[in-house]
Amino acid sequence: MKSSNRFTRNLLAAAVAVALPGAAMAQLEEVIVTATKRAESTQDIPMSVQAVSGERLDAMAINDLGDLSTNIPNFSIGDGLTTNLITMRGIGSGEDRSFEQSVSMFVDGIYMPRSRQTRTPFFDADRVEILRGPQAVLFGLNSTAGAISIHSAVNNPGDSFEASITGEYETENEGASGTLIVGGSPLDNLGLRLAIKSGDSGDGYIDNNFLGDQGDSESTVARLSVVWEPTDDLRATAKYNYADYEVNGQTAEPVNRFAKAVDNGDGQLNWKNSGIGELLPLLSAVSGNTMSKPGADQEAENFSLNVDYMLGEHTLTGLFGYSDYDYNLATDLDSVSFAGLGIPGVSLDAVSYEEYEQTSFELRLTSPGGETLDYVVGAYYQDSTLEAE
């Protein structure tokens, strides 16, 4: 079993401040992040950085980026009709799907420019780093409002075997989810970790006058991580992530005089609608969409390979990434069933889909830090294809 190596493994302290019951004072602990492409204390970084540990994410039941945004000041993520709306200090890209996000997203070092790449719930995270303000120097020109870097957990060579099963149940809508994590080090130079999570939100929060409860969702996420350290100077980390996410039904409702006139409602926001999407089967048949009723479906795969090699006190890093997803949306824009009102053949329906594939490679040389001159030099290549309607 290895007792030590030259790579920093534990990058984040358990908490910034720990308040114990009955304690007179909180204990301040150092927080180490990799926002500058090297492991440094937040006190030594000349930028606004907030780090959230995986333990805190679990303790606060934060399952996705939407939940995370409610706990981070000046950071917001909303689920829009056509795209996720990510803003930092009030700055974002809006709902235009042709734009990449102004708040750049990185998962295990891989740049994720499309908002739908971060739609599915994340889990088993080691830490999340939120950087406010322009980050063009280290994270690219698109990071005009800030950057978010998510690092998933791994088992390092030499770690003891671990296994955990966690279940959750929500009483109001009868939603449930379960998580399985298994990891350890079968060889002295090899660490393996498998994490799987499956969840069902239960009854939907929208009451459809014709179709019953809607807005419920189902998700499945799985990740396999492999860490290999053949020598003290070489470390390779590979991760494969699969996610599937489905939403049933129409989650919007009309809130205006039109709704009051034709929907037998009060035109108020009360989580009710009547949309059934009469024309969706026809629209799906003549487009690339696979949905024939209101709802959304997304399937995504991500792979990353990070190789670090020590050249004296310098670190040479090679990072390969692959990402693809298929996203389908079908919606009844008016959220009203004209057929149910005796007016067949009239409806304001829409379908959309996205197919995205991305390959990237980064080569980087990083100085040890703390010297008279600190530097990072490297090259980045990305090729991506987007088909959308």
Side-chain angles (χ1 to χ4, degrees):
M1 180 179 296
K2 291 189 176 182
S3 59
S4 64
N5 59 45
R6 303 178 65 180
F7 295 99
T8 303
R9 289 177 173 175
N10 298 319
L11 299 177
L12 182 63
V16 178
V18 179
L20 298 177
M25 297 180 61
Q27 179 183 356
L28 184 64
E29 297 185 5
E30 184 181 42
V31 177
I32 304 299
V33 296
T34 55
T36 58
K37 306 300 182 181
R38 59 168 63 89
E40 291 184 299
S41 169
T42 53
Q43 300 179 9
D44 299 328
I45 299 177
M47 61 178 67
S48 176
V49 181
Q50 184 165 354
V52 183
S53 68
E55 290 83 359
R56 183 184 174 191
L57 295 174
D58 291 338
M60 300 182 68
I62 296 176
N63 296 315
D64 54 40
L65 291 170
D67 293 339
L68 177 65
S69 66
T70 62
N71 294 273
I72 304 297
N74 301 317
F75 171 53
S76 174
I77 295 182
D79 189 5
L81 183 63
T82 59
T83 182
N84 289 356
L85 308 178
I86 306 175
T87 62
M88 187 81 71
R89 293 175 174 171
I91 301 175
S93 300
E95 294 191 52
D96 194 327
R97 289 188 295 162
S98 62
F99 293 138
E100 295 185 355
Q101 292 294 316
S102 299
V103 181
S104 296
M105 193 77 61
F106 294 81
V107 179
D108 292 320
I110 305 300
Y111 175 48
M112 302 290 187
R114 306 296 301 175
S115 69
R116 293 303 181 191
Q117 290 175 283
T118 58
R119 179 185 179 90
T120 52
F122 73 91
F123 74 115
D124 193 32
D126 178 69
R127 69 190 186 281
V128 179
E129 301 172 9
I130 299 96
L131 296 82
R132 298 181 180 86
Q135 307 294 331
V137 174
L138 294 175
F139 292 94
L141 294 176
N142 289 332
S143 306
T144 54
I148 303 170
S149 183
I150 303 172
H151 299 266
S152 57
V154 298
N155 280 89
N156 294 293
D159 285 354
S160 301
F161 174 80
E162 63 173 299
S164 66
I165 299 178
T166 305
E168 299 177 355
Y169 180 77
E170 191 269 322
T171 57
E172 181 175 356
N173 294 317
E174 299 183 346
S177 67
T179 302
L180 169 67
I181 298 176
V182 180
S185 179
L187 302 175
D188 288 346
N189 62 0
L190 185 67
L192 302 176
R193 187 181 185 90
L194 175 65
I196 302 173
K197 181 175 182 178
S198 181
D200 187 332
S201 66
D203 297 334
Y205 61 94
I206 293 289
D207 182 14
N208 187 286
N209 293 328
F210 297 96
L211 303 178
D213 292 334
Q214 293 189 327
D216 53 294
S217 62
E218 297 181 4
S219 63
T220 300
V221 188
R223 182 188 301 118
L224 175 64
S225 304
V226 180
V227 180
W228 181 49
E229 292 184 5
T231 70
D232 287 345
D233 293 326
L234 179 63
R235 176 185 174 95
T237 303
K239 297 181 180 181
Y240 172 77
N241 190 91
Y242 171 82
D244 182 75
Y245 182 79
E246 297 181 10
V247 177
N248 170 51
Q250 179 75 12
T251 59
E253 62 174 304
V255 184
N256 50 34
R257 294 181 179 179
F258 171 78
K260 184 176 182 179
V262 303
D263 198 24
N264 297 322
D266 54 9
Q268 302 298 316
L269 181 62
N270 53 9
W271 314 113
K272 294 182 179 181
N273 67 41
S274 299
I276 61 176
E278 291 96 330
L279 300 182
L280 288 179
L282 175 61
L283 293 176
S284 296
V286 298
S287 71
N289 192 288
T290 61
M291 307 288 293
S292 59
K293 61 180 181 179
D297 176 63
Q298 178 171 334
E299 187 175 20
E301 291 182 287
N302 295 303
F303 173 79
S304 66
L305 175 61
N306 188 102
V307 179
D308 290 322
Y309 182 69
M310 299 300 297
L311 296 173
E313 295 300 320
H314 291 66
T315 304
L316 180 64
T317 300
L319 180 59
F320 171 80
Y322 175 81
S323 176
D324 75 67
Y325 71 86
D326 295 327
Y327 172 74
N328 291 275
L329 170 70
T331 181
D332 187 329
L333 294 174
D334 51 67
S335 298
V336 172
S337 173
F338 287 95
L341 297 172
I343 314 175
V346 178
S347 187
L348 299 176
D349 301 335
V351 295
S352 65
Y353 74 94
E354 291 186 17
E355 294 182 6
Y356 182 77
E357 185 175 18
Q358 170 188 315
T359 302
S360 63
F361 180 75
E362 180 179 359
L363 185 64
R364 184 174 68 240
L365 181 66
T366 308
S367 66
E371 306 295 328
T372 303
L373 176 64
D374 295 334
Y375 60 88
V376 177
V377 59
Y380 179 79
Y381 168 83
Q382 177 180 314
D383 178 71
S384 60
T385 302
L386 172 66
E387 182 179 352
E389 178 181 277

